[in-house]
Amino acid sequence: MAYDNFGKKLKRVKSRSKVTPSTRLKIIAMIVGVISIVILSFLAYNIYQIEMEKRAEELNKAKAAAIESTKKLFSNYPNDPHLHMFIAKIQASTSIEEIDKIVEEAAQYIELRKYKDKAINTIKEIYGKHYYESPYAQSIVFKIQRATSKKEIEKILRDSNIKEDAKRYFMKEIENKVEPDKYYAIPVFGKKTLMKGVEVIDYVKRLSLAEIKKIAEELEPVSFNKVALVVPAVQCGKVPFEGSKIEIYDRSNVSKDPVPGIVNSSYVIIDDIGYREIIAYFGGYGMGDYTMGIYGRGTDIGIHGGTTQEESYNATIIGIRYTLENVPGILHATAVGRLNYEKIINKLGKYGERLNNVSSATQIFDEKSKYLLIVQVSSADIPRLLSISNRDMYIVVAE
């Protein structure tokens, strides 16, 4: 029995050991296939690993470049918390496309930030040193800082009233600087004009903000020097009076700005006055009976240094010549008490003003007259005034 079992087992072993060539080939093929699969899998895995490493390297390079680019975008804003936020997003990104979107988002943020800064800086420039005095200006800036788009900022600026608000502060600055009775040199139509403090305040109210700011910045009272000028009437026109504002031009160089001045006092220079009239009488009544200068018919002019001549041509016509010689001598005689002060003042008082009025009414001008003007001129303008020769000096009354 045991022998039979052993025989069966031996047969099975022998049968197993009997492998045909075809079977062997199949086995070899299977082994080769398995090995090939293993090798290919190994190669594929390695290729995959290499590709993944390559992609990871490219992604890391892209991240590093994006971070560097973002830092450059924020170069003017290194402390902006959004910088770290964008860097964190880049570091957490999983693709180059995602990185590109983050960098683009950062660029848009910086563009908006710059636009905000430009708008805010413009507001600060408008207000200058008065920016922190204006709650309104700061409220506009706060709105701009919270804006999320350029359009929103533009609307905020359109709806605001910044310039008018700023004007109030510069007007107040000027009002605090000026003294009502002092003079200031103010630019008017490109040339400087002298104005009293009260005139300055009234004038600047009509100006633009830029003009008001310039005046507020440069406003200083004028330091005057007095200068005596002898000017022929043809170079001046009617005689200016005390307090008149004048502009002194140089005819040899009309491109120069005129020298502004204030007339402190003015005089008409007179030596002798002469006048002649003919009066016709009919039936004892004169057709004319008028006076000239300080006298009329029947007065005692002779004792004042003047002379009167009468020439009778016939019973009804009389020619009369009036002359007043040495007018300065009359003034000196009055000053030393030899002539009646009140009477001389009454006759000669406001001679220049009356001369102006008569000349204006008749449009007849005495070109031989000369004026002595005592003029107040800014100390800074004295060299310019001295450079103008008498023959080229022309004076225009500015008011």
Side-chain angles (χ1 to χ4, degrees), residues 17-31:
S17 62
K18 292 179 181 178
V19 179
T20 63
S22 61
T23 303
R24 188 179 289 114
L25 288 173
K26 288 180 180 179
I27 292 171
I28 292 170
M30 288 177 63
I31 292 171

Side-chain angles (χ1 to χ4, degrees), residues 124-326:
K124 289 182 177 180
E125 286 173 6
I126 287 172
Y127 280 89
K129 61 186 176 182
H130 300 297
Y131 169 71
Y132 292 102
E133 298 173 34
S134 172
Y136 180 73
Q138 294 174 61
S139 71
I140 297 298
V141 167
F142 181 70
K143 288 180 181 179
I144 291 172
Q145 288 171 333
R146 295 183 62 186
T148 57
S149 69
K150 287 185 179 180
K151 286 185 178 180
E152 186 178 351
I153 294 171
E154 289 168 358
K155 186 176 186 307
I156 292 169
L157 294 174
R158 277 198 311 271
D159 295 343
S160 66
N161 198 21
I162 295 167
K163 290 188 176 181
E164 286 303 315
D165 184 63
K167 279 178 75 170
R168 294 192 301 108
Y169 291 94
F170 286 101
M171 281 296 305
K172 186 177 179 182
E173 179 184 346
I174 290 172
E175 289 171 2
N176 291 337
K177 275 186 175 182
V178 299
E179 297 182 40
D181 294 326
K182 286 192 174 181
Y183 279 94
Y184 300 82
I186 304 298
V188 179
F189 300 118
K191 62 184 179 182
K192 288 192 174 182
T193 300
L194 296 173
M195 293 185 186
K196 278 190 174 182
V198 290
E199 295 174 296
V200 171
I201 293 172
D202 183 60
Y203 173 72
V204 297
K205 288 177 182 178
R206 306 189 294 271
L207 301 181
S208 67
L209 174 61
E211 292 169 318
I212 292 174
K213 287 173 71 174
K214 184 174 177 60
I215 289 174
E217 182 182 350
E218 300 176 354
L219 191 66
E220 291 291 341
V222 175
S223 173
F224 283 113
N225 282 18
K226 289 183 181 179
V227 180
L229 305 175
V230 176
V231 186
V234 291
Q235 293 173 217
C236 186
K238 62 183 182 180
V239 58
F241 299 125
E242 179 181 347
S244 294
K245 295 178 187 178
I246 62 172
E247 293 175 344
I248 305 168
Y249 287 85
D250 184 354
R251 186 176 62 173
S252 68
N253 190 345
V254 293
S255 63
K256 284 184 180 179
D257 288 338
V259 176
I262 306 292
V263 176
N264 184 262
S265 54
S266 62
Y267 306 90
V268 180
I269 299 175
I270 295 176
D271 186 14
D272 299 328
I273 298 175
Y275 171 74
R276 181 176 180 176
E277 68 178 60
I278 295 175
I279 302 176
Y281 286 87
F282 297 94
Y285 295 96
M287 293 296 292
D289 185 10
Y290 26 87
T291 62
M292 181 274 173
I294 64 168
Y295 34 60
R297 280 187 293 113
T299 64
D300 56 346
I301 308 167
I303 66 169
H304 290 250
T307 61
T308 300
Q309 273 188 325
E310 295 189 5
E311 300 174 1
S312 297
Y313 298 100
N314 52 51
T316 58
I317 298 178
I318 300 176
I320 302 174
R321 181 185 293 121
Y322 299 95
T323 61
L324 184 62
E325 299 173 355
N326 190 19

